[in-house]
Amino acid sequence: MLLSQVVEASQVVRATSSRKLKVAAVAQLLAEAAPDELAQVVAWISGELTQGRIGTGWRTLAAVEAEPAAEPELTVVTVEGTLGKLASTAGAGSAARRRELLAGLLRAATAPERDFLVRLLTGELRQGALTALVAEAVARAAEVPVEQVRRAYMLSGQLPVTAVAAMIGGAAVLAGFRLEVGRPIQPMLASPGATLDDALAEFEGEASVEYKLDGARIQVHRKGSQVWVFTRTLRDITAGVPELVRLVGELPCESVVLDGETLALTDSGRPRPFQETMSRFATVDPDSAPPTSSRDLLLHPYFFDCLHLDGVDLLDAPLSERRTALTKVAAEHSIPALITPDSEAAAEYFDTALALGHEGIVIKSLSAPYAAGRRGRAWQKVKPTHTLDLIVLGAEWGYGRRTGYLSNLHLGARDPEGGEPIMVGKTFKGLTDALLAWQTEEFPRHERARDGHVVYLRPELVVEIALDGVQVSPRYPGGAALRFARVVRYRPDKQAADADTIDAVLALLPPG
């Protein structure tokens, strides 16, 4: 397959807002790919590289001087080979060798192919072909149920692997995917709940009520003496958290997979600020968070779900059964929960959570299975104020005390159909001097353009925003604007795909 075929499909996807047409274009592309090209094609059309990050940024690419080719000749296999060499090139003389490889690749590419490659390499391939859409296209091309593709993807954590299995082996191979201890799965997510009473009523009282901790999501796996710790983005951080590895290794079991949060605590046992917890991940996460404490803080795990125990997979079991397994293996390290409480007991528990320094509570259906990778109504988070995780689209240069700093943030919500983020407001409220300094240093690394007073960013940074509500507004393309928005914190543990959608913003509009 020629690279130009991938580029043409990408252009079709970018040019239409119709999900049906997007899926059709990607499905046709996959149907034409050879077995040894499928993984690369699925990754690229999703805006990813099979090698992950290869350390090639915009400045490196801009420095490459090469005239584009007149006719398309690059193949998928050739491009993948060059990208593999780029990813493995290191050591003395590597910078020159990388420039040579890039120049050769771009010289062999036509102008449209070069544009595609540059956006792919810089993480700016925002064309609406997100993983959910590509998964649907895989199902269509392979003629298998989309739910089967989604489940296999959930269990493998890799859409290219899932696509190859679907296209080559069909439904029978997809059905063989199982939870594998040591291989992370996508975490189940909670949706914002309107009120405590509404959430309890929706589950007809058959609910677990738990503290919503202000920590970092972790997923731990153990098989015999081997322990793995993963983040919510499925990144392996085992080497950087020895205290968690030691604790999990001492649990009374042979194999286990647990979901939970980890926190750094003060001497009095209260949660430290989120940024301080995240500072422990700095040695294994090169994407720096805002400045945090450099103290060597110990992390404490708080588990809330058990997905596997001693050879038994529990993903499809109801939460009531999973909690029993959790209590059996990690009772003293689990988040305390109220089971089937009445409204009065739940309200008191909510007040206690806030008094202890937690964000709020999560209300979970006791009958629901673990819907990995999905944000559904089976888990609902309730907080005292509205918060949204939004994408930073740009920032304006400040004035007054903020002169010389990138300040006023342009905020966008995720398009559930995979299009460009949708702007919903601006704010500079809540920005401390430390955050202003960090933004001014960090934002140029994500820059895609600028004009006289605004630096526009690639959609890569997620920030948590508190707000008093949402109002109808023709000023922004989504038709809504945030009211009294203020920065709570940046979320280095989240990617743009984890941000809240425009639907979540519109759901906060007052009735009528």
Side-chain angles (χ1 to χ4, degrees):
M1 173 177 278
L2 291 173
L3 174 65
S4 60
Q5 293 172 258
V6 182
V7 175
E8 288 166 6
S10 172
Q11 290 171 336
V12 171
V13 170
R14 294 181 69 199
T16 182
S17 60
S18 167
R19 186 180 185 88
K20 183 178 180 180
L21 293 178
K22 291 178 192 284
V23 170
V26 176
Q28 181 178 345
L29 177 69
L30 299 182
E32 296 172 356
D36 63 344
E37 299 167 334
L38 274 169
Q40 294 92 325
V41 170
V42 169
W44 296 350
I45 205 72
S46 303
E48 307 284 346
L49 297 171
T50 60
Q51 298 84 3
R53 296 181 180 180
I54 61 176
T56 301
W58 178 260
R59 290 181 177 83
T60 303
L61 290 163
V64 175
E65 296 182 1
E67 289 296 319
E71 298 294 332
E73 296 182 355
L74 280 173
T75 66
V76 168
V77 172
T78 299
V79 174
E80 178 68 4
T82 302
L83 296 177
K85 291 176 183 177
L86 277 167
S88 61
T89 298
S94 61
R97 175 59 177 155
R98 290 169 69 84
R99 284 195 298 271
E100 180 184 332
L101 287 167
L102 282 170
L105 179 62
L106 297 181
R107 191 179 298 117
T110 62
E113 290 171 340
R114 176 179 293 190
D115 176 68
F116 177 87
L117 288 169
V118 168
R119 289 186 295 112
L120 178 64
L121 289 166
T122 56
E124 201 176 347
L125 195 62
R126 304 184 310 278
Q127 57 186 25
L130 297 177
T131 52
L133 186 148
V134 178
E136 193 173 332
V138 169
R140 177 167 175 171
E143 299 181 347
V144 297
V146 66
E147 286 302 326
Q148 202 168 19
V149 173
R150 288 171 180 158
R151 181 173 177 81
Y153 172 38
M154 166 193 84
L155 292 167
S156 71
Q158 302 177 67
L159 190 53
V161 171
T162 305
V164 171
M167 296 294 291
I168 295 176
V173 173
L174 290 177
F177 278 74
R178 296 286 185 271
L179 186 153
E180 181 180 318
V181 179
R183 183 177 66 191
I185 67 170
Q186 298 171 337
M188 185 171 178
L189 305 172
S191 296
T195 67
L196 175 59
D197 287 341
D198 287 346
L200 288 175
E202 186 170 336
F203 299 143
E204 298 180 346
E206 292 300 308
S208 168
V209 181
E210 306 167 14
Y211 295 151
K212 186 181 189 313
L213 306 186
D214 191 17
R217 188 79 174 262
I218 56 169
Q219 186 180 124
V220 302
H221 292 232
R222 175 181 157 195
K223 187 175 184 179
S225 60
Q226 180 71 51
V227 174
W228 300 264
V229 184
F230 303 98
T231 66
R232 66 176 292 138
T233 57
L234 313 188
R235 190 164 33 86
D236 189 337
I237 57 167
T238 308
V241 288
E243 68 271 45
L244 299 183
V245 172
R246 186 164 48 250
L247 183 147
V248 173
E250 294 172 351
L251 294 177
C253 62
E254 182 62 26
S255 65
V256 71
V257 176
L258 298 172
D259 191 5
E261 299 267 347
T262 187
L263 296 173
L265 304 177
T266 65
D267 292 340
S268 63
R270 291 178 64 84
R272 289 188 181 276
F274 175 77
Q275 288 85 353
E276 292 194 20
T277 292
M278 289 305 299
S279 71
R280 276 297 310 277
F281 296 81
T283 55
V284 290
D285 184 359
D287 303 322
S288 57
T292 58
S293 170
S294 61
R295 288 171 290 187
D296 186 15
L297 303 172
L298 287 177
L299 296 175
H300 301 263
Y302 295 89
F303 301 115
F304 51 70
D305 219 318
C306 182
L307 314 182
H308 170 97
L309 181 60
D310 287 336
V312 179
D313 292 343
L314 299 168
L315 286 171
D316 296 323
L319 176 60
S320 56
E321 186 175 329
R322 302 199 310 273
R323 281 210 62 92
T324 298
L326 174 65
T327 302
K328 177 181 177 181
V329 74
E332 62 179 304
H333 305 294
S334 63
I335 295 176
L338 284 184
I339 306 300
T340 62
D342 58 26
S343 295
E344 184 176 345
E348 183 178 344
Y349 188 85
F350 185 30
D351 292 340
T352 301
L354 299 180
L356 292 173
H358 302 310
E359 287 189 299
I361 57 174
V362 182
I363 304 172
K364 302 177 179 179
S365 168
L366 284 170
S367 62
Y370 190 91
R374 307 294 292 276
R375 189 188 298 277
R377 300 293 297 174
W379 290 9
Q380 297 183 35
K381 52 189 176 184
V382 178
K383 301 180 182 181
T385 59
H386 295 301
T387 63
L388 293 169
D389 291 324
L390 299 174
I391 302 165
V392 182
L393 305 179
E396 299 172 8
W397 290 103
Y399 56 89
R401 80 170 183 85
R402 294 186 295 277
T403 298
Y405 293 104
L406 284 170
S407 174
N408 202 21
L409 301 178
H410 293 200
L411 303 169
R414 180 167 56 85
D415 180 355
E417 296 301 322
E420 299 279 345
I422 301 166
M423 191 168 176
V424 291
K426 302 179 182 180
T427 191
F428 57 82
K429 294 185 171 74
L431 290 172
T432 63
D433 290 343
L435 279 176
L436 287 169
W438 176 79
Q439 289 180 174
T440 305
E441 179 181 357
E442 180 67 19
F443 282 7
R445 300 188 181 110
H446 306 270
E447 180 179 338
R448 63 176 178 84
R450 69 171 66 193
D451 59 24
H453 72 291
V454 182
V455 175
Y456 298 99
L457 308 183
R458 298 188 298 275
E460 299 168 342
L461 299 174
V462 176
V463 64
E464 184 177 344
I465 298 294
L467 58 151
D468 289 356
V470 173
Q471 62 191 20
V472 174
S473 172
R475 181 178 180 183
Y476 297 115
L482 312 178
R483 296 182 64 249
F484 303 107
R486 50 210 180 270
V487 173
V488 177
R489 58 186 175 178
Y490 279 86
R491 295 301 304 253
D493 58 326
K494 292 191 175 184
Q495 300 174 333
D498 300 314
D500 284 303
T501 66
I502 186 64
D503 293 340
V505 176
L506 297 176
L508 297 176
L509 284 169

